[in-house]
Amino acid sequence: MTVTLADVAARAQVSPATVSRVLNGNYPVAASTRERVLKAVDELDYVLNGPASALAAATSDLVGILVNDIADPFFGIMASAIQSEIGGPGGRAGGERLAVVCNTGGSPERELTYLTLLQRQRAAAVVLTGGAVEDAQHKAAMDAKVRKLTDAGTRVVLCGRPQAPETGAIALTFDNRGGGQELTEHLIRLGHRRLGYIAGPEERTTTRHRLEGHRAALAAHGIEEDPRWTVHGRYDRRSGYEATLELLRRDPTLTAVVAANDSVALGACAALRESGLRIPEDVSVAGFDDLPFSVDAVPALTTVRLPLTEAGARAGRIAMGREEPPPGGITSVRGELMVRGSTAGPRA
Amino acid sequence: MTVTLADVAARAQVSPATVSRVLNGNYPVAASTRERVLKAVDELDYVLNGPASALAAATSDLVGILVNDIADPFFGIMASAIQSEIGGPGGRAGGERLAVVCNTGGSPERELTYLTLLQRQRAAAVVLTGGAVEDAQHKAAMDAKVRKLTDAGTRVVLCGRPQAPETGAIALTFDNRGGGQELTEHLIRLGHRRLGYIAGPEERTTTRHRLEGHRAALAAHGIEEDPRWTVHGRYDRRSGYEATLELLRRDPTLTAVVAANDSVALGACAALRESGLRIPEDVSVAGFDDLPFSVDAVPALTTVRLPLTEAGARAGRIAMGREEPPPGGITSVRGELMVRGSTAGPRA
DNA sequence: AACGTGACAGCAAGCGCTTTCTACGTGTCC
DNA sequence: GGACACGTAGAAAGCGCTTGCTGTCACGTT
């Protein structure tokens, strides 16, 4: 039925061992023999049996990429960059690795299960993207799992996620706190004193860090924050829309709205506009991430650009062992404030 | 070193066969025995060896999803929907399948190589999304590969891709031609007679079908098309920006620009605005796909909504054998015209 | 002329699991 | 009370590949 190594061997008049060595190319094989084998492979249309090969060799060429939401370009861009370095077919790398992206949907259980699945497949490496969930129990479970993976020789790289010390993972984190602070400081310098903040889901590190940066900026300028100015939601446009209406209801005198990310900011803009407010004349709006569509918003969105592509590529290279991990196994990547039309001084 | 089935068996005082049966749950095992085994599994922290299991059972729980560009929400949304139905951890389905998305970057070679990799892993199913490349040679190679996969028992589903007859694949195609026609007809009804068209890459089916729909609408209304009115580019914002400037250079009297998709349309809007033209007063703009950000564009984008989530979910279910394939193995999914602020009658 | 030395090729032992077939009680029925 | 079925567990034969080790030549060396 299906063609096996033995079939190829028979046709090429060599032993299975030789065929295997030709295919893996890590053992001297005479040119003439190699040719004969390759010809047989071609004629028989032979396709290696991955599982069998992985079993015998005790390694696989699978590399897992975990993302929170594959429909969100934030993750898509990182995944794309990681994958381009992982190799995969046609990638920059040599070997043919199967880079697979797994969508956790932000669910802690799924995250864990995917890790187990990857462990089960004896993945060569795993890259975890995006913020982590801040639940002590889940964090412990994750750390243990990561520890197990690294112990088993799987390289684990975190991209945009805080370090899990003692787990053997390499971390490339984003300076969300610094970015958040810089962004809010920009608004304060423009003269804003009453700033609404639309945060992401409560329990995520990314959410907390960005919010902390925002608050640090307020504190640094002696602005006392009104609890009504902060609303939590999801990282999507819809959430930004609803949260903004809520914010407006709570305090119609706000002169600026800072959003957890660009999608949320877009939703905020829509809500403001529908409420008859002009941007930035009546209310300034700021986002985070600088996704491709942000520059096309009207007015263009002031935001913090995160080097997603660069960070992803680097994470990919580290995962493949083609770049030295940062000293200490952790490094923080800074964002860059992009001042655009959606922010201006408050109405007089 | 690593814990194996045999270790668990020893600890639970049963045979390896019994452990396997407990884990797979398709054979009667006494409750007390099962419990003992499960306890041992837990204590030993046993993780099944995927490759070994796949080898012995001659099947795997891998499901591949091929996308052209993972950073593009168009694909992200579909992938997300497919994955939610595939199961994956926490998905609606029961079994734990590893749904993996592979990014071809639109490259024919990569597409083929990924298919081989998936074949090598003995994937349970494969879903191909997005348009196909219209190169006779590549098409033949793809068809042959798909044929081989289906012959080997891998279910292959095409989502948003024209049917490859005789390959055994199930096809869910988008009615790009009809959508394109409807969109352009809307513009014509508004009174436009000089319409620019920014197409996608030449050799893609999606590009061709949308363009054909556009031309059909023009023809149906007796409008003779000027060859200068069509520019080809990529499916991204940058391309839309550049193509629009080119279009304006070629014929500054155009009153409408139809874009290959929403990202392109956004780029077009930016270019028009920078050229001092108002939307829709001076020039109307229309997109395709209705991605989430399109409604937030200013003015909101008139476009054709494609039911990406529904189609993806359906493709996923079919791939899992949980839904009957459409009769004849192919069905066309219609888009819905969304008329919004970016289109209006031409200036008088 | 005998012998070390590479360069290749083959043998065979697994890798860790699944699954068919067989074996062994019990409970049941006539 | 013996035959039979039923429910459950084990033995063992692979699944298709990799790789350590063992040949076997054809040379070059002394």
Side-chain angles (χ1 to χ4, degrees):
Chain A
M1 186 61 232
T2 58
V3 183
T4 72
L5 239 210
D7 299 331
V8 177
R11 181 167 246 263
Q13 318 237 52
V14 296
S15 73
T18 302
V19 178
S20 169
R21 299 205 255 250
V22 167
L23 262 24
N24 291 296
N26 44 17
Y27 191 87
V29 173
S32 64
T33 312
R34 174 196 317 291
E35 228 167 87
R36 207 142 32 86
V37 170
L38 258 19
K39 184 150 161 283
V41 166
D42 202 54
E43 289 170 352
L44 259 29
D45 217 4
Y46 170 69
V47 175
L48 191 71
N49 183 316
S53 156
L55 171 59
T59 60
S60 89
D61 49 7
L62 217 64
V63 175
I65 302 173
L66 262 65
V67 302
N68 280 344
D69 181 5
I70 201 181
D72 183 340
F74 176 81
F75 292 101
I77 291 170
M78 271 195 290
S80 178
I82 294 167
Q83 198 161 25
S84 77
E85 292 291 338
I86 291 298
R92 252 165 251 170
E96 275 174 6
R97 309 193 156 272
L98 217 205
V100 306
V101 358
C102 310
N103 191 26
T104 67
S107 144
E109 300 81 46
R110 279 217 209 186
E111 189 168 72
L112 222 37
T113 319
Y114 264 126
L115 241 31
T116 303
L117 242 31
L118 254 8
Q119 182 186 7
R120 179 176 295 183
Q121 299 298 332
R122 305 297 186 254
V126 174
V127 181
L128 294 161
T129 66
V133 170
E134 298 198 300
D135 172 79
Q137 195 185 336
H138 176 247
K139 188 177 178 326
M142 280 294 286
D143 285 1
K145 187 58 99 182
V146 168
R147 170 89 267 166
K148 237 164 267 156
L149 280 165
T150 55
D151 281 352
T154 298
R155 218 175 313 236
V156 179
V157 182
L158 312 178
C159 187
R161 172 183 286 244
Q163 187 187 31
E166 306 305 319
T167 59
I170 307 299
L172 257 47
T173 70
F174 292 130
D175 182 15
N176 284 310
R177 198 181 278 105
Q181 177 159 4
E182 208 178 332
L183 186 59
T184 296
E185 247 158 22
H186 157 70
L187 256 3
I188 295 174
R189 270 196 309 273
L190 285 175
H192 294 277
R193 289 296 174 272
R194 292 185 306 284
L195 303 88
Y197 190 90
I198 307 176
E202 295 255 22
E203 71 293 349
R204 314 226 117 227
T205 52
T206 306
T207 300
R208 182 164 60 80
H209 293 158
R210 290 183 182 178
L211 183 50
E212 281 174 7
H214 170 70
R215 289 186 169 150
L218 293 181
H221 292 265
I223 300 177
E224 197 176 333
E225 200 197 358
D226 186 323
R228 296 176 305 152
W229 294 349
T230 301
V231 179
H232 280 272
R234 297 176 315 278
Y235 276 118
D236 61 23
R237 125 167 242 288
R238 181 86 188 279
S239 177
Y241 181 88
E242 290 162 357
T244 302
L245 295 183
E246 171 66 21
L247 238 28
L248 251 28
R249 205 173 301 128
R250 293 186 186 175
D251 183 352
T253 72
L254 290 175
T255 63
V257 172
V258 182
N261 76 5
D262 289 349
S263 294
V264 172
L266 238 46
C269 288
L272 290 170
R273 209 169 289 118
E274 286 182 22
S275 304
L277 295 165
R278 290 162 305 161
I279 305 166
E281 293 81 358
D282 299 320
V283 179
S284 285
V285 175
F288 211 111
D289 294 345
D290 195 23
L291 295 187
F293 57 71
S294 304
V295 69
D296 283 321
V298 178
L301 219 50
T302 289
T303 184
V304 176
R305 162 171 294 172
L306 249 27
L308 300 177
T309 302
E310 296 77 357
R314 188 158 169 215
R317 284 193 301 271
I318 293 174
M320 300 307 293
R322 288 193 289 112
E323 177 172 325
E324 279 304 302
I330 182 164
T331 187
S332 178
V333 178
R334 301 221 36 180
E336 182 192 355
L337 179 64
M338 307 296 290
V339 175
R340 295 202 273 245
S342 70
T343 50
R347 51 184 180 258
Chain B
M1 187 59 234
T2 57
V3 184
T4 71
L5 239 209
D7 299 331
V8 176
R11 183 168 244 266
Q13 316 234 56
V14 295
S15 72
T18 302
V19 178
S20 169
R21 299 204 257 246
V22 168
L23 263 24
N24 292 296
N26 44 18
Y27 191 88
V29 174
S32 64
T33 313
R34 173 196 318 292
E35 230 167 84
R36 205 141 33 86
V37 170
L38 257 18
K39 181 148 164 286
V41 165
D42 201 53
E43 288 170 353
L44 258 28
D45 216 6
Y46 170 68
V47 175
L48 190 72
N49 183 316
S53 153
L55 172 58
T59 59
S60 89
D61 49 8
L62 216 63
V63 175
I65 302 172
L66 262 64
V67 301
N68 280 344
D69 182 4
I70 200 180
D72 183 340
F74 175 81
F75 293 100
I77 291 170
M78 271 195 290
S80 178
I82 295 168
Q83 197 160 27
S84 76
E85 291 291 339
I86 291 299
R92 250 165 253 171
E96 275 174 6
R97 310 194 156 272
L98 218 204
V100 305
V101 358
C102 309
N103 190 24
T104 67
S107 144
E109 300 81 46
R110 279 217 208 185
E111 189 168 71
L112 222 37
T113 319
Y114 264 126
L115 241 31
T116 303
L117 243 31
L118 254 10
Q119 181 185 8
R120 179 176 296 184
Q121 300 297 333
R122 305 297 186 254
V126 174
V127 180
L128 294 161
T129 67
V133 171
E134 299 198 300
D135 173 80
Q137 195 184 335
H138 176 249
K139 187 175 179 328
M142 280 294 286
D143 286 0
K145 185 60 95 183
V146 168
R147 169 90 265 169
K148 238 165 267 156
L149 282 164
T150 55
D151 281 352
T154 299
R155 217 175 313 234
V156 179
V157 182
L158 313 178
C159 187
R161 173 182 287 244
Q163 187 187 33
E166 305 305 319
T167 60
I170 307 299
L172 256 47
T173 70
F174 292 130
D175 181 15
N176 284 309
R177 198 181 278 106
Q181 177 160 2
E182 207 178 334
L183 186 59
T184 296
E185 246 158 23
H186 158 70
L187 256 3
I188 294 174
R189 270 197 307 274
L190 286 175
H192 294 276
R193 289 297 174 272
R194 292 186 306 284
L195 302 89
Y197 190 91
I198 308 176
E202 295 253 22
E203 71 292 349
R204 314 226 117 226
T205 52
T206 306
T207 301
R208 183 163 61 79
H209 293 158
R210 291 183 182 178
L211 183 49
E212 281 174 5
H214 170 71
R215 289 186 170 150
L218 294 182
H221 292 263
I223 300 177
E224 199 177 333
E225 199 197 359
D226 186 324
R228 295 176 305 154
W229 294 348
T230 301
V231 179
H232 280 273
R234 297 177 313 279
Y235 276 117
D236 61 24
R237 123 166 244 288
R238 182 85 188 279
S239 177
Y241 181 87
E242 290 162 357
T244 302
L245 295 182
E246 172 65 20
L247 237 27
L248 253 25
R249 207 174 301 127
R250 292 186 186 175
D251 183 353
T253 72
L254 290 174
T255 62
V257 171
V258 182
N261 76 4
D262 289 349
S263 295
V264 172
L266 239 47
C269 288
L272 289 171
R273 210 169 287 119
E274 285 181 23
S275 303
L277 295 166
R278 291 163 304 161
I279 304 166
E281 293 82 356
D282 299 320
V283 179
S284 285
V285 175
F288 210 110
D289 293 345
D290 194 24
L291 296 186
F293 57 71
S294 304
V295 69
D296 284 321
V298 177
L301 219 50
T302 289
T303 185
V304 175
R305 163 171 293 171
L306 249 28
L308 300 178
T309 301
E310 295 78 358
R314 186 155 171 220
R317 284 194 301 271
I318 293 174
M320 301 307 293
R322 287 193 289 114
E323 177 173 325
E324 280 304 301
I330 182 165
T331 188
S332 179
V333 178
R334 300 222 39 181
E336 182 191 356
L337 179 64
M338 308 295 290
V339 175
R340 295 201 273 246
S342 70
T343 51
R347 52 186 178 259

